Amino acid sequence: MTNRSKTESVEYMLNSRGSIPDRQTAKQSGRFPHPAWCTIFAAGQYYDEFPYTDKSSLIIAADGGLDYASSLGLTPDVFIGDNDSQMDLASRKELSDQTTVIPLPAQKDDTDLMAAAKYGWSQGIRQFDIYGALGKQIDHTLSSIMLLARLAQAGGIGFLHGDHTIVTAICNATMTFPEGYVAPRRMISIFAQSDTCTDVTIKGLAYELSHETVTNHSDFGSRNEFRNNTASSIHVGSGTLIITYPSEAPYPTIVTRVKPLPSLGDLSRTVSQHLAATDKD
């Protein structure tokens, strides 16, 4: 975090991994302090890429994501959900005595993935690596992308890991890729999620922009490409961008000017008040 001057905003490095305490230290303190990151396993489609986790990750299984986490030999720190999509109920036996179990009603206002993100945020976490949230069902995919935007607008960052592709969102932020090699025709695409995004600057990619205003009525940034051994960056002064890029791209850094919110909201622990009365019986 750098205070650049009296007139400029404070900037927050979102995905720096250097100062994160290990898991045991975090558990002993009873809280995963910022900065830290969280790995969430959702109940969607999985591919042949092995999820990244290490001793500093808070691992959350969101409902049916417990099956996949268990298949990898991973014991989640947290299991959260309504159990409506979990296929292998025996997986529950693989939970540790120290696993936090948070049961939720099926007819609630949040998805299980949103509930998992809310819980992670409540633990001081601002970066989320999410698996099993792309593909399979288009409504789940769109909901997951909306979650990315919500995280970015709250001062955090989320990464959806799919079929050799990563999807993320940035808000009032700069995303920088170091130089490296990405195979030809492995595209990076940039879309405006906000109605209007201002001061959009793209450097180091095949197609560049300089301080442009873009809207979500056009696909201005679709099908761009990395340039070999060339660092690149994507900047948005105001607004939210959705970005998709190949998973083999160099690991990016994200700096935002959005001060993290203290909360994403309370967990939806009760049956939705919007449920039709006849369905509540």
Side-chain angles (χ1 to χ4, degrees), residues 20-280:
I20 298 173
D22 64 45
R23 215 153 147 197
Q24 186 60 36
T25 300
K27 282 190 172 185
Q28 288 174 351
S29 69
R31 187 175 178 83
F32 286 77
H34 177 71
W37 69 87
C38 173
T39 301
I40 299 176
F41 293 99
Q45 188 166 350
Y46 286 86
Y47 303 90
D48 59 359
E49 292 182 86
F50 195 83
Y52 175 83
T53 61
D54 70 10
K55 63 182 181 180
S56 300
S57 302
L58 174 67
I59 299 175
I60 301 179
D63 201 59
L66 176 59
D67 289 338
Y68 189 75
S70 298
S71 74
L72 299 177
L74 296 173
T75 300
D77 300 290
V78 181
F79 171 74
I80 188 168
D82 51 38
N83 201 40
D84 66 343
S85 60
Q86 189 180 351
M87 300 301 294
D88 181 12
L89 296 179
S91 296
R92 281 187 176 273
K93 298 178 181 178
E94 298 182 20
L95 296 177
S96 164
D97 291 340
Q98 297 183 2
T99 298
T100 299
V101 177
I102 304 175
L104 299 174
Q107 297 166 318
K108 56 189 182 297
D109 289 330
D110 288 335
T111 63
D112 294 319
L113 179 56
M114 173 59 76
K118 282 184 174 182
Y119 180 85
W121 195 280
S122 75
Q123 299 303 298
I125 294 173
R126 302 296 178 259
Q127 176 179 335
F128 299 82
D129 289 297
I130 303 169
Y131 297 86
L134 291 174
K136 197 173 182 179
Q137 298 183 51
I138 187 62
D139 55 342
H140 284 184
T141 295
L142 292 173
S143 175
S144 300
I145 294 173
M146 291 177 65
L147 171 60
L148 292 180
R150 182 168 179 178
L151 290 172
Q153 291 159 6
I157 189 76
F159 299 94
L160 300 176
H161 297 261
D163 188 8
H164 300 280
T165 298
I166 296 174
V167 186
T168 191
I170 61 173
C171 177
N172 302 4
T174 302
M175 184 176 189
T176 303
F177 292 90
E179 64 180 46
Y181 174 77
V182 177
R185 307 302 296 170
R186 292 284 287 144
M187 303 298 184
I188 176 172
S189 294
I190 305 152
F191 304 96
Q193 191 271 343
S194 301
D195 289 344
T196 302
C197 294
T198 63
D199 193 25
V200 176
T201 298
I202 301 172
K203 297 180 180 179
L205 298 179
Y207 299 90
E208 298 185 321
L209 289 179
S210 180
H211 306 289
E212 298 285 342
T213 296
V214 300
T215 72
N216 59 8
H217 300 298
S218 69
D219 57 353
F220 74 96
S222 179
R223 310 295 287 175
N224 209 329
E225 293 187 69
F226 289 94
R227 288 153 51 187
N228 285 341
N229 300 315
T230 302
S232 57
S233 64
I234 302 163
H235 171 84
V236 56
S238 176
T240 302
L241 298 175
I242 303 295
I243 301 167
T244 72
Y245 61 95
S247 58
E248 72 269 20
Y251 187 75
T253 57
I254 296 94
V255 176
T256 182
R257 292 172 304 286
V258 178
K259 183 178 180 180
L261 295 178
S263 171
L264 291 181
D266 296 332
L267 290 180
S268 181
R269 295 178 180 269
T270 58
V271 173
S272 174
Q273 295 182 353
H274 305 291
L275 187 67
T278 55
D279 292 329
K280 292 181 181 180

